[in-house]
Amino acid sequence: MDPSQVQSAEFAQFLAQEEQRAKVGEMVIKITNVCWDKCITSTPGSKFSSSESSCLSNCARRYMDMSLLIVKRVQNMQ
Amino acid sequence: MDSFSSSPSSGSNSQFQSEQLKNQLKAQLAQAYIEQFMETISTKCFDKCITKPGSSMSGSESSCISRCVDRYIEATGIITSTLFSSPH
């Protein structure tokens, strides 16, 4: 096989992988942003209370649930 | 040994360039991620800690900022591990 062809296929794979990584990173930033507002209502202390940390976990899971629901809902409209 | 002697010099050179490009791209993506993260932390902690901007930063404001940054990083960790551990 042509070596440049191998390289470009490998490079495309690298790009796809990095794109995926960047999307995951963006998602974490986004969810932390909205869940911080929902869950951390008082001035930040020296550690999270147990209700704050469980709120953050629940909030992240519900955000994912919601995203799925929205995708389904919008798909049904088409 | 055979693979070394048979590999053409131009091939290994372009491979080197491709590795350089990959590393450059990774570094730029990491840089963009950090900038986005810092930007969010600044917005959040300014809202929480600098409620009434005075003529200078007070001690309580700066200690609030320190705690806020620590907690925001912790919150990012909690959310990351929640999203990538088993569902429910």
Side-chain angles (χ1 to χ4, degrees):
Chain A
M1 203 192 282
D2 179 7
S4 72
Q5 225 170 17
V6 175
Q7 216 175 37
S8 72
E10 195 234 318
F11 198 76
Q13 195 196 344
F14 165 80
L15 282 181
Q17 188 186 315
E18 289 302 313
E19 191 187 2
Q20 191 57 33
R21 209 194 293 273
K23 275 184 182 164
V24 168
E26 296 255 331
M27 187 183 74
V28 169
I29 285 180
K30 173 72 190 168
I31 294 179
T32 308
N33 189 331
V34 295
C35 293
W36 173 268
D37 289 349
K38 286 266 188 233
C39 300
I40 316 300
T41 47
S42 59
T43 310
S46 53
K47 67 193 287 271
F48 281 137
S49 67
S50 61
S51 66
E52 283 171 326
S53 45
S54 64
C55 178
L56 287 169
S57 295
N58 290 337
C59 176
R61 291 196 186 103
R62 292 301 79 73
Y63 194 94
M64 296 305 286
D65 291 346
M66 180 205 67
S67 306
L68 262 175
L69 276 180
I70 289 175
V71 169
K72 282 182 192 160
R73 184 80 188 146
V74 173
Q75 276 173 345
N76 284 345
M77 287 173 183
Q78 287 166 344
Chain B
M1 191 67 193
D2 223 308
S3 61
F4 283 111
S5 55
S6 65
S7 72
S9 59
S10 66
S12 63
N13 188 37
S14 72
Q15 184 146 25
F16 175 68
Q17 278 180 342
S18 153
E19 281 307 307
Q20 263 190 325
L21 186 61
K22 282 181 188 174
N23 289 336
Q24 213 172 14
L25 215 141
K26 276 187 180 174
Q28 279 181 4
L29 283 169
Q31 181 65 27
Y33 183 83
I34 286 170
E35 277 170 23
Q36 204 185 342
F37 193 57
M38 299 281 280
E39 156 95 38
T40 323
I41 293 185
S42 301
T43 311
K44 297 300 178 188
C45 295
F46 192 81
D47 282 355
K48 284 269 185 235
C49 300
I50 318 292
T51 47
K52 281 183 186 159
S55 56
S56 68
M57 176 96 74
S58 73
S60 65
E61 283 170 334
S62 60
S63 63
C64 176
I65 298 284
S66 305
R67 285 194 308 267
C68 179
V69 171
D70 290 351
R71 290 296 77 69
Y72 202 88
I73 291 169
E74 192 183 342
T76 305
I78 290 172
I79 284 167
T80 307
S81 57
T82 301
L83 293 178
F84 299 104
S85 66
S86 60
H88 309 290

